[in-house]
Amino acid sequence: RTNLGLKLSPFHFMAFGEKNRSVEDISILNADIYWNPFPKSKKTAMMVPFASINYFTYDKNGLLDTSDIALSAGWRFVYVGREKSSLRFDTFAEVGYRYVDDEHYYYLNFSLDLIITAAIFLMTL
């Protein structure tokens, strides 16, 4: 009834680059909280504000860094596809602010679920 949602994920891969360096991390403690301000809309498409945290990060060398934390906040457009079974896939675009490696970023992100990515790959063969 509050239109709040919580998403927990045991695995998150983050990669981004700049002119002088690139960052690739895998974190194993991840949480998103979001709020749907449009409760009357269909639950398959939402435009929601969100905040997320990524913690316990493995770097390129395979070392666990417990001091590294990534915080993000912004707006996310989500399309949730549901098949007749219990399978579900999320596709989203988000824009926001990210704090990672003691630096501040504004970012734009597009994400496809693994099921969609695999289907697109298989269709191109």
Side-chain angles (χ1 to χ4, degrees), residues 55-105:
Y55 190 52
F56 289 128
T57 303
Y58 284 97
D59 62 12
K60 287 189 248 186
N61 302 321
L63 301 173
L64 179 64
D65 186 358
T66 58
S67 66
D68 191 17
I69 189 168
L71 303 170
S72 303
W75 279 90
R76 181 181 291 156
F77 174 78
V78 182
Y79 175 77
V80 179
R82 290 187 170 89
E83 297 295 325
K84 293 182 181 179
S85 68
S86 62
L87 286 178
R88 156 190 157 150
F89 55 88
D90 296 346
T91 302
F92 64 87
E94 64 187 26
V95 62
Y97 161 82
R98 178 171 287 146
Y99 174 78
V100 63
D101 289 338
D102 293 326
E103 295 187 26
H104 306 271
Y105 300 92

mmCIF file of all heavy atoms in Angstrom, residues 55-105:
data_model
loop_
_atom_site.group_PDB
_atom_site.id
_atom_site.type_symbol
_atom_site.label_atom_id
_atom_site.label_comp_id
_atom_site.label_asym_id
_atom_site.label_seq_id
_atom_site.Cartn_x
_atom_site.Cartn_y
_atom_site.Cartn_z
ATOM 1 N N TYR A 55 28.123 -2.959 -1.868
ATOM 2 C CA TYR A 55 29.140 -3.094 -0.839
ATOM 3 C C TYR A 55 29.810 -4.461 -0.940
ATOM 4 O O TYR A 55 29.303 -5.347 -1.614
ATOM 5 C CB TYR A 55 28.479 -2.901 0.530
ATOM 6 C CG TYR A 55 29.432 -2.766 1.682
ATOM 7 C CD1 TYR A 55 30.466 -1.848 1.644
ATOM 8 C CD2 TYR A 55 29.293 -3.543 2.794
ATOM 9 C CE1 TYR A 55 31.342 -1.718 2.705
ATOM 10 C CE2 TYR A 55 30.161 -3.429 3.873
ATOM 11 C CZ TYR A 55 31.190 -2.518 3.817
ATOM 12 O OH TYR A 55 32.051 -2.396 4.865
ATOM 13 N N PHE A 56 30.911 -4.665 -0.261
ATOM 14 C CA PHE A 56 31.747 -5.859 -0.339
ATOM 15 C C PHE A 56 32.143 -6.107 -1.788
ATOM 16 O O PHE A 56 31.580 -6.953 -2.471
ATOM 17 C CB PHE A 56 31.062 -7.092 0.244
ATOM 18 C CG PHE A 56 30.924 -7.067 1.737
ATOM 19 C CD1 PHE A 56 29.710 -7.292 2.322
ATOM 20 C CD2 PHE A 56 32.011 -6.801 2.540
ATOM 21 C CE1 PHE A 56 29.565 -7.267 3.690
ATOM 22 C CE2 PHE A 56 31.878 -6.778 3.913
ATOM 23 C CZ PHE A 56 30.653 -7.009 4.487
ATOM 24 N N THR A 57 33.103 -5.360 -2.241
ATOM 25 C CA THR A 57 33.469 -5.327 -3.647
ATOM 26 C C THR A 57 34.746 -6.118 -3.928
ATOM 27 O O THR A 57 35.742 -5.969 -3.221
ATOM 28 C CB THR A 57 33.662 -3.861 -4.089
ATOM 29 O OG1 THR A 57 32.463 -3.153 -3.823
ATOM 30 C CG2 THR A 57 33.988 -3.775 -5.558
ATOM 31 N N TYR A 58 34.696 -6.937 -4.986
ATOM 32 C CA TYR A 58 35.884 -7.601 -5.516
ATOM 33 C C TYR A 58 36.401 -6.769 -6.681
ATOM 34 O O TYR A 58 35.652 -6.444 -7.591
ATOM 35 C CB TYR A 58 35.561 -9.011 -6.021
ATOM 36 C CG TYR A 58 35.388 -10.006 -4.917
ATOM 37 C CD1 TYR A 58 34.131 -10.333 -4.446
ATOM 38 C CD2 TYR A 58 36.490 -10.624 -4.348
ATOM 39 C CE1 TYR A 58 33.973 -11.246 -3.427
ATOM 40 C CE2 TYR A 58 36.346 -11.552 -3.322
ATOM 41 C CZ TYR A 58 35.081 -11.851 -2.873
ATOM 42 O OH TYR A 58 34.934 -12.755 -1.864
ATOM 43 N N ASP A 59 37.669 -6.438 -6.667
ATOM 44 C CA ASP A 59 38.241 -5.650 -7.752
ATOM 45 C C ASP A 59 38.811 -6.562 -8.835
ATOM 46 O O ASP A 59 38.660 -7.781 -8.786
ATOM 47 C CB ASP A 59 39.289 -4.666 -7.234
ATOM 48 C CG ASP A 59 40.480 -5.358 -6.586
ATOM 49 O OD1 ASP A 59 40.613 -6.585 -6.723
ATOM 50 O OD2 ASP A 59 41.286 -4.658 -5.964
ATOM 51 N N LYS A 60 39.481 -5.961 -9.831
ATOM 52 C CA LYS A 60 40.046 -6.723 -10.955
ATOM 53 C C LYS A 60 41.043 -7.778 -10.511
ATOM 54 O O LYS A 60 41.213 -8.790 -11.166
ATOM 55 C CB LYS A 60 40.743 -5.780 -11.939
ATOM 56 C CG LYS A 60 39.828 -4.952 -12.770
ATOM 57 C CD LYS A 60 40.635 -4.252 -13.835
ATOM 58 C CE LYS A 60 40.660 -2.784 -13.574
ATOM 59 N NZ LYS A 60 41.303 -2.025 -14.625
ATOM 60 N N ASN A 61 41.711 -7.546 -9.402
ATOM 61 C CA ASN A 61 42.724 -8.484 -8.905
ATOM 62 C C ASN A 61 42.128 -9.595 -8.054
ATOM 63 O O ASN A 61 42.859 -10.428 -7.530
ATOM 64 C CB ASN A 61 43.780 -7.728 -8.102
ATOM 65 C CG ASN A 61 44.449 -6.655 -8.935
ATOM 66 O OD1 ASN A 61 44.713 -6.865 -10.111
ATOM 67 N ND2 ASN A 61 44.698 -5.511 -8.334
ATOM 68 N N GLY A 62 40.809 -9.606 -7.860
ATOM 69 C CA GLY A 62 40.159 -10.639 -7.062
ATOM 70 C C GLY A 62 40.244 -10.417 -5.569
ATOM 71 O O GLY A 62 40.007 -11.322 -4.788
ATOM 72 N N LEU A 63 40.580 -9.195 -5.156
ATOM 73 C CA LEU A 63 40.695 -8.884 -3.740
ATOM 74 C C LEU A 63 39.397 -8.285 -3.216
ATOM 75 O O LEU A 63 38.779 -7.439 -3.874
ATOM 76 C CB LEU A 63 41.845 -7.899 -3.510
ATOM 77 C CG LEU A 63 43.223 -8.370 -3.967
ATOM 78 C CD1 LEU A 63 44.228 -7.247 -3.849
ATOM 79 C CD2 LEU A 63 43.655 -9.583 -3.166
ATOM 80 N N LEU A 64 38.982 -8.706 -2.037
ATOM 81 C CA LEU A 64 37.774 -8.183 -1.407
ATOM 82 C C LEU A 64 38.114 -6.886 -0.690
ATOM 83 O O LEU A 64 38.999 -6.850 0.164
ATOM 84 C CB LEU A 64 37.200 -9.192 -0.419
ATOM 85 C CG LEU A 64 35.952 -8.757 0.327
ATOM 86 C CD1 LEU A 64 34.801 -8.540 -0.645
ATOM 87 C CD2 LEU A 64 35.575 -9.786 1.372
ATOM 88 N N ASP A 65 37.418 -5.824 -1.049
ATOM 89 C CA ASP A 65 37.635 -4.517 -0.431
ATOM 90 C C ASP A 65 36.403 -4.165 0.391
ATOM 91 O O ASP A 65 35.346 -3.871 -0.158
ATOM 92 C CB ASP A 65 37.875 -3.459 -1.514
ATOM 93 C CG ASP A 65 38.245 -2.113 -0.932
ATOM 94 O OD1 ASP A 65 38.275 -1.979 0.314
ATOM 95 O OD2 ASP A 65 38.490 -1.187 -1.723
ATOM 96 N N THR A 66 36.531 -4.217 1.717
ATOM 97 C CA THR A 66 35.391 -3.924 2.585
ATOM 98 C C THR A 66 35.222 -2.435 2.847
ATOM 99 O O THR A 66 34.237 -2.034 3.440
ATOM 100 C CB THR A 66 35.536 -4.651 3.936
ATOM 101 O OG1 THR A 66 36.767 -4.247 4.540
ATOM 102 C CG2 THR A 66 35.522 -6.151 3.737
ATOM 103 N N SER A 67 36.155 -1.618 2.380
ATOM 104 C CA SER A 67 36.019 -0.176 2.578
ATOM 105 C C SER A 67 35.377 0.500 1.372
ATOM 106 O O SER A 67 34.995 1.656 1.448
ATOM 107 C CB SER A 67 37.383 0.455 2.857
ATOM 108 O OG SER A 67 38.201 0.339 1.706
ATOM 109 N N ASP A 68 35.263 -0.214 0.257
ATOM 110 C CA ASP A 68 34.709 0.359 -0.967
ATOM 111 C C ASP A 68 33.193 0.257 -0.944
ATOM 112 O O ASP A 68 32.628 -0.817 -0.746
ATOM 113 C CB ASP A 68 35.265 -0.382 -2.189
ATOM 114 C CG ASP A 68 34.935 0.321 -3.482
ATOM 115 O OD1 ASP A 68 34.578 1.517 -3.440
ATOM 116 O OD2 ASP A 68 35.045 -0.325 -4.536
ATOM 117 N N ILE A 69 32.543 1.373 -1.157
ATOM 118 C CA ILE A 69 31.085 1.420 -1.166
ATOM 119 C C ILE A 69 30.653 2.317 -2.312
ATOM 120 O O ILE A 69 31.298 3.320 -2.600
ATOM 121 C CB ILE A 69 30.544 1.921 0.190
ATOM 122 C CG1 ILE A 69 29.040 1.757 0.268
ATOM 123 C CG2 ILE A 69 30.949 3.340 0.465
ATOM 124 C CD1 ILE A 69 28.502 1.964 1.668
ATOM 125 N N ALA A 70 29.603 1.936 -2.997
ATOM 126 C CA ALA A 70 29.052 2.750 -4.084
ATOM 127 C C ALA A 70 27.619 3.106 -3.722
ATOM 128 O O ALA A 70 26.814 2.229 -3.395
ATOM 129 C CB ALA A 70 29.098 1.994 -5.399
ATOM 130 N N LEU A 71 27.296 4.387 -3.773
ATOM 131 C CA LEU A 71 25.949 4.877 -3.498
ATOM 132 C C LEU A 71 25.411 5.532 -4.767
ATOM 133 O O LEU A 71 26.133 6.280 -5.427
ATOM 134 C CB LEU A 71 25.972 5.903 -2.365
ATOM 135 C CG LEU A 71 26.560 5.435 -1.043
ATOM 136 C CD1 LEU A 71 26.738 6.615 -0.098
ATOM 137 C CD2 LEU A 71 25.673 4.386 -0.427
ATOM 138 N N SER A 72 24.161 5.271 -5.074
ATOM 139 C CA SER A 72 23.532 5.859 -6.253
ATOM 140 C C SER A 72 22.135 6.335 -5.894
ATOM 141 O O SER A 72 21.470 5.749 -5.039
ATOM 142 C CB SER A 72 23.411 4.838 -7.388
ATOM 143 O OG SER A 72 24.658 4.301 -7.724
ATOM 144 N N ALA A 73 21.679 7.371 -6.585
ATOM 145 C CA ALA A 73 20.316 7.865 -6.421
ATOM 146 C C ALA A 73 19.902 8.563 -7.711
ATOM 147 O O ALA A 73 20.747 9.128 -8.409
ATOM 148 C CB ALA A 73 20.231 8.844 -5.248
ATOM 149 N N GLY A 74 18.625 8.492 -8.038
ATOM 150 C CA GLY A 74 18.149 9.141 -9.254
ATOM 151 C C GLY A 74 16.767 8.686 -9.646
ATOM 152 O O GLY A 74 15.968 8.267 -8.800
ATOM 153 N N TRP A 75 16.490 8.741 -10.955
ATOM 154 C CA TRP A 75 15.207 8.319 -11.516
ATOM 155 C C TRP A 75 15.441 7.117 -12.407
ATOM 156 O O TRP A 75 16.396 7.071 -13.177
ATOM 157 C CB TRP A 75 14.580 9.437 -12.339
ATOM 158 C CG TRP A 75 13.876 10.424 -11.485
ATOM 159 C CD1 TRP A 75 14.408 11.550 -10.927
ATOM 160 C CD2 TRP A 75 12.523 10.374 -11.062
ATOM 161 N NE1 TRP A 75 13.466 12.196 -10.179
ATOM 162 C CE2 TRP A 75 12.294 11.498 -10.251
ATOM 163 C CE3 TRP A 75 11.484 9.471 -11.278
ATOM 164 C CZ2 TRP A 75 11.069 11.747 -9.671
ATOM 165 C CZ3 TRP A 75 10.263 9.732 -10.696
ATOM 166 C CH2 TRP A 75 10.055 10.862 -9.908
ATOM 167 N N ARG A 76 14.529 6.173 -12.340
ATOM 168 C CA ARG A 76 14.640 4.943 -13.126
ATOM 169 C C ARG A 76 13.315 4.685 -13.845
ATOM 170 O O ARG A 76 12.254 4.735 -13.237
ATOM 171 C CB ARG A 76 14.972 3.783 -12.208
ATOM 172 C CG ARG A 76 15.132 2.460 -12.900
ATOM 173 C CD ARG A 76 15.432 1.359 -11.914
ATOM 174 N NE ARG A 76 16.763 1.528 -11.332
ATOM 175 C CZ ARG A 76 17.125 1.034 -10.170
ATOM 176 N NH1 ARG A 76 16.281 0.337 -9.451
ATOM 177 N NH2 ARG A 76 18.351 1.225 -9.729
ATOM 178 N N PHE A 77 13.411 4.407 -15.157
ATOM 179 C CA PHE A 77 12.257 3.931 -15.908
ATOM 180 C C PHE A 77 12.421 2.426 -16.037
ATOM 181 O O PHE A 77 13.437 1.949 -16.526
ATOM 182 C CB PHE A 77 12.166 4.558 -17.295
ATOM 183 C CG PHE A 77 11.063 3.962 -18.111
ATOM 184 C CD1 PHE A 77 9.751 4.339 -17.884
ATOM 185 C CD2 PHE A 77 11.335 2.999 -19.052
ATOM 186 C CE1 PHE A 77 8.724 3.765 -18.611
ATOM 187 C CE2 PHE A 77 10.312 2.417 -19.789
ATOM 188 C CZ PHE A 77 9.000 2.805 -19.569
ATOM 189 N N VAL A 78 11.433 1.684 -15.567
ATOM 190 C CA VAL A 78 11.519 0.231 -15.519
ATOM 191 C C VAL A 78 10.390 -0.382 -16.334
ATOM 192 O O VAL A 78 9.241 0.051 -16.245
ATOM 193 C CB VAL A 78 11.399 -0.282 -14.065
ATOM 194 C CG1 VAL A 78 11.529 -1.789 -14.012
ATOM 195 C CG2 VAL A 78 12.398 0.383 -13.164
ATOM 196 N N TYR A 79 10.737 -1.386 -17.116
ATOM 197 C CA TYR A 79 9.725 -2.228 -17.751
ATOM 198 C C TYR A 79 9.925 -3.635 -17.216
ATOM 199 O O TYR A 79 11.004 -4.210 -17.349
ATOM 200 C CB TYR A 79 9.848 -2.242 -19.274
ATOM 201 C CG TYR A 79 8.872 -3.205 -19.897
ATOM 202 C CD1 TYR A 79 7.531 -2.874 -20.008
ATOM 203 C CD2 TYR A 79 9.287 -4.454 -20.313
ATOM 204 C CE1 TYR A 79 6.630 -3.759 -20.538
ATOM 205 C CE2 TYR A 79 8.383 -5.353 -20.848
ATOM 206 C CZ TYR A 79 7.056 -5.000 -20.956
ATOM 207 O OH TYR A 79 6.158 -5.884 -21.467
ATOM 208 N N VAL A 80 8.905 -4.171 -16.575
ATOM 209 C CA VAL A 80 8.978 -5.510 -16.001
ATOM 210 C C VAL A 80 8.119 -6.421 -16.857
ATOM 211 O O VAL A 80 6.908 -6.257 -16.928
ATOM 212 C CB VAL A 80 8.474 -5.526 -14.543
ATOM 213 C CG1 VAL A 80 8.533 -6.933 -13.975
ATOM 214 C CG2 VAL A 80 9.275 -4.564 -13.696
ATOM 215 N N GLY A 81 8.761 -7.350 -17.538
ATOM 216 C CA GLY A 81 8.035 -8.316 -18.349
ATOM 217 C C GLY A 81 7.767 -9.566 -17.549
ATOM 218 O O GLY A 81 8.622 -10.041 -16.820
ATOM 219 N N ARG A 82 6.565 -10.075 -17.675
ATOM 220 C CA ARG A 82 6.209 -11.300 -16.957
ATOM 221 C C ARG A 82 5.676 -12.314 -17.953
ATOM 222 O O ARG A 82 4.786 -12.023 -18.723
ATOM 223 C CB ARG A 82 5.154 -11.009 -15.906
ATOM 224 C CG ARG A 82 5.682 -10.208 -14.750
ATOM 225 C CD ARG A 82 4.633 -10.094 -13.663
ATOM 226 N NE ARG A 82 5.191 -9.533 -12.467
ATOM 227 C CZ ARG A 82 5.241 -8.250 -12.205
ATOM 228 N NH1 ARG A 82 4.783 -7.390 -13.064
ATOM 229 N NH2 ARG A 82 5.757 -7.815 -11.075
ATOM 230 N N GLU A 83 6.252 -13.460 -17.908
ATOM 231 C CA GLU A 83 5.747 -14.562 -18.718
ATOM 232 C C GLU A 83 4.617 -15.237 -17.944
ATOM 233 O O GLU A 83 4.326 -14.892 -16.809
ATOM 234 C CB GLU A 83 6.882 -15.558 -19.003
ATOM 235 C CG GLU A 83 8.013 -14.967 -19.800
ATOM 236 C CD GLU A 83 7.596 -14.556 -21.196
ATOM 237 O OE1 GLU A 83 6.746 -15.238 -21.803
ATOM 238 O OE2 GLU A 83 8.108 -13.544 -21.675
ATOM 239 N N LYS A 84 4.001 -16.227 -18.552
ATOM 240 C CA LYS A 84 2.918 -16.943 -17.877
ATOM 241 C C LYS A 84 3.444 -17.752 -16.694
ATOM 242 O O LYS A 84 2.717 -18.059 -15.782
ATOM 243 C CB LYS A 84 2.180 -17.845 -18.862
ATOM 244 C CG LYS A 84 1.430 -17.042 -19.889
ATOM 245 C CD LYS A 84 0.667 -17.923 -20.824
ATOM 246 C CE LYS A 84 -0.044 -17.057 -21.845
ATOM 247 N NZ LYS A 84 -0.792 -17.826 -22.806
ATOM 248 N N SER A 85 4.724 -18.068 -16.712
ATOM 249 C CA SER A 85 5.319 -18.780 -15.584
ATOM 250 C C SER A 85 5.779 -17.761 -14.543
ATOM 251 O O SER A 85 5.432 -16.593 -14.602
ATOM 252 C CB SER A 85 6.501 -19.620 -16.068
ATOM 253 O OG SER A 85 7.542 -18.773 -16.488
ATOM 254 N N SER A 86 6.584 -18.204 -13.625
ATOM 255 C CA SER A 86 7.077 -17.300 -12.589
ATOM 256 C C SER A 86 8.281 -16.492 -13.060
ATOM 257 O O SER A 86 8.820 -15.690 -12.305
ATOM 258 C CB SER A 86 7.432 -18.096 -11.337
ATOM 259 O OG SER A 86 8.457 -19.008 -11.641
ATOM 260 N N LEU A 87 8.741 -16.697 -14.305
ATOM 261 C CA LEU A 87 9.872 -15.932 -14.819
ATOM 262 C C LEU A 87 9.497 -14.467 -14.981
ATOM 263 O O LEU A 87 8.387 -14.129 -15.358
ATOM 264 C CB LEU A 87 10.323 -16.480 -16.169
ATOM 265 C CG LEU A 87 11.078 -17.799 -16.144
ATOM 266 C CD1 LEU A 87 11.407 -18.208 -17.563
ATOM 267 C CD2 LEU A 87 12.335 -17.691 -15.317
ATOM 268 N N ARG A 88 10.452 -13.625 -14.736
ATOM 269 C CA ARG A 88 10.229 -12.193 -14.851
ATOM 270 C C ARG A 88 11.538 -11.580 -15.315
ATOM 271 O O ARG A 88 12.606 -12.034 -14.943
ATOM 272 C CB ARG A 88 9.792 -11.703 -13.499
ATOM 273 C CG ARG A 88 10.007 -10.303 -13.205
ATOM 274 C CD ARG A 88 9.753 -10.034 -11.757
ATOM 275 N NE ARG A 88 10.505 -8.850 -11.493
ATOM 276 C CZ ARG A 88 10.206 -7.962 -10.615
ATOM 277 N NH1 ARG A 88 9.213 -8.142 -9.817
ATOM 278 N NH2 ARG A 88 10.922 -6.890 -10.475
ATOM 279 N N PHE A 89 11.468 -10.553 -16.140
ATOM 280 C CA PHE A 89 12.684 -9.884 -16.562
ATOM 281 C C PHE A 89 12.505 -8.380 -16.443
ATOM 282 O O PHE A 89 11.422 -7.855 -16.636
ATOM 283 C CB PHE A 89 13.094 -10.285 -17.985
ATOM 284 C CG PHE A 89 12.023 -10.078 -19.014
ATOM 285 C CD1 PHE A 89 11.893 -8.878 -19.663
ATOM 286 C CD2 PHE A 89 11.149 -11.111 -19.331
ATOM 287 C CE1 PHE A 89 10.918 -8.689 -20.608
ATOM 288 C CE2 PHE A 89 10.165 -10.921 -20.279
ATOM 289 C CZ PHE A 89 10.050 -9.710 -20.920
ATOM 290 N N ASP A 90 13.582 -7.715 -16.082
ATOM 291 C CA ASP A 90 13.569 -6.267 -15.892
ATOM 292 C C ASP A 90 14.455 -5.616 -16.931
ATOM 293 O O ASP A 90 15.571 -6.068 -17.175
ATOM 294 C CB ASP A 90 14.109 -5.879 -14.512
ATOM 295 C CG ASP A 90 13.269 -6.387 -13.375
ATOM 296 O OD1 ASP A 90 12.141 -6.810 -13.621
ATOM 297 O OD2 ASP A 90 13.748 -6.352 -12.233
ATOM 298 N N THR A 91 13.977 -4.559 -17.531
ATOM 299 C CA THR A 91 14.749 -3.731 -18.428
ATOM 300 C C THR A 91 14.578 -2.307 -17.923
ATOM 301 O O THR A 91 13.466 -1.884 -17.650
ATOM 302 C CB THR A 91 14.212 -3.838 -19.866
ATOM 303 O OG1 THR A 91 14.256 -5.209 -20.247
ATOM 304 C CG2 THR A 91 15.026 -3.023 -20.814
ATOM 305 N N PHE A 92 15.679 -1.584 -17.767
ATOM 306 C CA PHE A 92 15.504 -0.235 -17.255
ATOM 307 C C PHE A 92 16.557 0.724 -17.771
ATOM 308 O O PHE A 92 17.613 0.329 -18.244
ATOM 309 C CB PHE A 92 15.468 -0.222 -15.722
ATOM 310 C CG PHE A 92 16.725 -0.659 -15.035
ATOM 311 C CD1 PHE A 92 17.731 0.235 -14.770
ATOM 312 C CD2 PHE A 92 16.878 -1.969 -14.632
ATOM 313 C CE1 PHE A 92 18.881 -0.151 -14.118
ATOM 314 C CE2 PHE A 92 18.022 -2.377 -13.966
ATOM 315 C CZ PHE A 92 19.033 -1.468 -13.711
ATOM 316 N N ALA A 93 16.203 1.991 -17.672
ATOM 317 C CA ALA A 93 17.119 3.094 -17.948
ATOM 318 C C ALA A 93 17.076 3.976 -16.713
ATOM 319 O O ALA A 93 16.020 4.164 -16.112
ATOM 320 C CB ALA A 93 16.686 3.869 -19.179
ATOM 321 N N GLU A 94 18.227 4.491 -16.330
ATOM 322 C CA GLU A 94 18.244 5.356 -15.158
ATOM 323 C C GLU A 94 19.214 6.505 -15.359
ATOM 324 O O GLU A 94 20.172 6.396 -16.114
ATOM 325 C CB GLU A 94 18.578 4.578 -13.889
ATOM 326 C CG GLU A 94 19.942 3.961 -13.846
ATOM 327 C CD GLU A 94 20.164 3.068 -12.632
ATOM 328 O OE1 GLU A 94 19.189 2.519 -12.089
ATOM 329 O OE2 GLU A 94 21.326 2.918 -12.236
ATOM 330 N N VAL A 95 18.923 7.584 -14.686
ATOM 331 C CA VAL A 95 19.780 8.752 -14.690
ATOM 332 C C VAL A 95 19.907 9.195 -13.242
ATOM 333 O O VAL A 95 18.943 9.120 -12.475
ATOM 334 C CB VAL A 95 19.228 9.880 -15.596
ATOM 335 C CG1 VAL A 95 17.877 10.368 -15.118
ATOM 336 C CG2 VAL A 95 20.209 11.025 -15.704
ATOM 337 N N GLY A 96 21.121 9.574 -12.856
ATOM 338 C CA GLY A 96 21.263 9.957 -11.465
ATOM 339 C C GLY A 96 22.667 10.346 -11.072
ATOM 340 O O GLY A 96 23.512 10.682 -11.901
ATOM 341 N N TYR A 97 22.891 10.262 -9.782
ATOM 342 C CA TYR A 97 24.131 10.643 -9.133
ATOM 343 C C TYR A 97 24.750 9.389 -8.523
ATOM 344 O O TYR A 97 24.033 8.559 -7.956
ATOM 345 C CB TYR A 97 23.827 11.671 -8.043
ATOM 346 C CG TYR A 97 24.908 11.831 -7.011
ATOM 347 C CD1 TYR A 97 26.005 12.630 -7.262
ATOM 348 C CD2 TYR A 97 24.831 11.168 -5.793
ATOM 349 C CE1 TYR A 97 27.009 12.771 -6.313
ATOM 350 C CE2 TYR A 97 25.822 11.306 -4.841
ATOM 351 C CZ TYR A 97 26.911 12.104 -5.105
ATOM 352 O OH TYR A 97 27.893 12.234 -4.172
ATOM 353 N N ARG A 98 26.057 9.242 -8.627
ATOM 354 C CA ARG A 98 26.745 8.087 -8.036
ATOM 355 C C ARG A 98 27.991 8.556 -7.296
ATOM 356 O O ARG A 98 28.747 9.380 -7.784
ATOM 357 C CB ARG A 98 27.131 7.089 -9.111
ATOM 358 C CG ARG A 98 27.891 5.891 -8.558
ATOM 359 C CD ARG A 98 28.076 4.809 -9.572
ATOM 360 N NE ARG A 98 26.790 4.154 -9.764
ATOM 361 C CZ ARG A 98 26.371 3.665 -10.920
ATOM 362 N NH1 ARG A 98 27.125 3.754 -11.986
ATOM 363 N NH2 ARG A 98 25.211 3.078 -11.007
ATOM 364 N N TYR A 99 28.178 8.003 -6.107
ATOM 365 C CA TYR A 99 29.383 8.237 -5.315
ATOM 366 C C TYR A 99 30.127 6.910 -5.225
ATOM 367 O O TYR A 99 29.613 5.941 -4.665
ATOM 368 C CB TYR A 99 29.006 8.728 -3.912
ATOM 369 C CG TYR A 99 30.178 8.863 -2.985
ATOM 370 C CD1 TYR A 99 31.028 9.955 -3.082
ATOM 371 C CD2 TYR A 99 30.436 7.905 -2.017
ATOM 372 C CE1 TYR A 99 32.120 10.081 -2.229
ATOM 373 C CE2 TYR A 99 31.513 8.021 -1.158
ATOM 374 C CZ TYR A 99 32.345 9.112 -1.267
ATOM 375 O OH TYR A 99 33.419 9.236 -0.432
ATOM 376 N N VAL A 100 31.316 6.847 -5.826
ATOM 377 C CA VAL A 100 32.114 5.620 -5.811
ATOM 378 C C VAL A 100 33.597 6.004 -5.843
ATOM 379 O O VAL A 100 33.976 6.978 -6.485
ATOM 380 C CB VAL A 100 31.726 4.689 -6.988
ATOM 381 C CG1 VAL A 100 32.001 5.321 -8.308
ATOM 382 C CG2 VAL A 100 32.417 3.352 -6.895
ATOM 383 N N ASP A 101 34.416 5.258 -5.141
ATOM 384 C CA ASP A 101 35.857 5.517 -5.058
ATOM 385 C C ASP A 101 36.168 6.953 -4.632
ATOM 386 O O ASP A 101 37.047 7.605 -5.183
ATOM 387 C CB ASP A 101 36.545 5.219 -6.393
ATOM 388 C CG ASP A 101 36.616 3.742 -6.703
ATOM 389 O OD1 ASP A 101 36.523 2.938 -5.756
ATOM 390 O OD2 ASP A 101 36.770 3.405 -7.885
ATOM 391 N N ASP A 102 35.412 7.465 -3.689
ATOM 392 C CA ASP A 102 35.578 8.830 -3.165
ATOM 393 C C ASP A 102 35.451 9.901 -4.239
ATOM 394 O O ASP A 102 36.060 10.970 -4.139
ATOM 395 C CB ASP A 102 36.921 8.978 -2.443
ATOM 396 C CG ASP A 102 36.975 8.144 -1.176
ATOM 397 O OD1 ASP A 102 35.918 7.992 -0.527
ATOM 398 O OD2 ASP A 102 38.064 7.649 -0.826
ATOM 399 N N GLU A 103 34.686 9.616 -5.291
ATOM 400 C CA GLU A 103 34.444 10.593 -6.351
ATOM 401 C C GLU A 103 32.954 10.662 -6.658
ATOM 402 O O GLU A 103 32.220 9.705 -6.424
ATOM 403 C CB GLU A 103 35.241 10.221 -7.605
ATOM 404 C CG GLU A 103 36.737 10.301 -7.388
ATOM 405 C CD GLU A 103 37.523 10.099 -8.663
ATOM 406 O OE1 GLU A 103 36.992 10.378 -9.743
ATOM 407 O OE2 GLU A 103 38.679 9.657 -8.562
ATOM 408 N N HIS A 104 32.539 11.799 -7.201
ATOM 409 C CA HIS A 104 31.130 12.050 -7.499
ATOM 410 C C HIS A 104 30.925 12.030 -9.015
ATOM 411 O O HIS A 104 31.729 12.589 -9.756
ATOM 412 C CB HIS A 104 30.718 13.417 -6.948
ATOM 413 C CG HIS A 104 31.028 13.567 -5.488
ATOM 414 N ND1 HIS A 104 30.142 13.191 -4.511
ATOM 415 C CD2 HIS A 104 32.130 14.019 -4.842
ATOM 416 C CE1 HIS A 104 30.664 13.430 -3.323
ATOM 417 N NE2 HIS A 104 31.883 13.931 -3.497
ATOM 418 N N TYR A 105 29.835 11.383 -9.451
ATOM 419 C CA TYR A 105 29.541 11.265 -10.875
ATOM 420 C C TYR A 105 28.062 11.499 -11.119
ATOM 421 O O TYR A 105 27.222 11.169 -10.278
ATOM 422 C CB TYR A 105 29.846 9.846 -11.394
ATOM 423 C CG TYR A 105 31.265 9.409 -11.239
ATOM 424 C CD1 TYR A 105 31.691 8.709 -10.111
ATOM 425 C CD2 TYR A 105 32.192 9.670 -12.231
ATOM 426 C CE1 TYR A 105 32.990 8.299 -9.981
ATOM 427 C CE2 TYR A 105 33.502 9.262 -12.108
ATOM 428 C CZ TYR A 105 33.892 8.578 -10.981
ATOM 429 O OH TYR A 105 35.189 8.171 -10.852
#
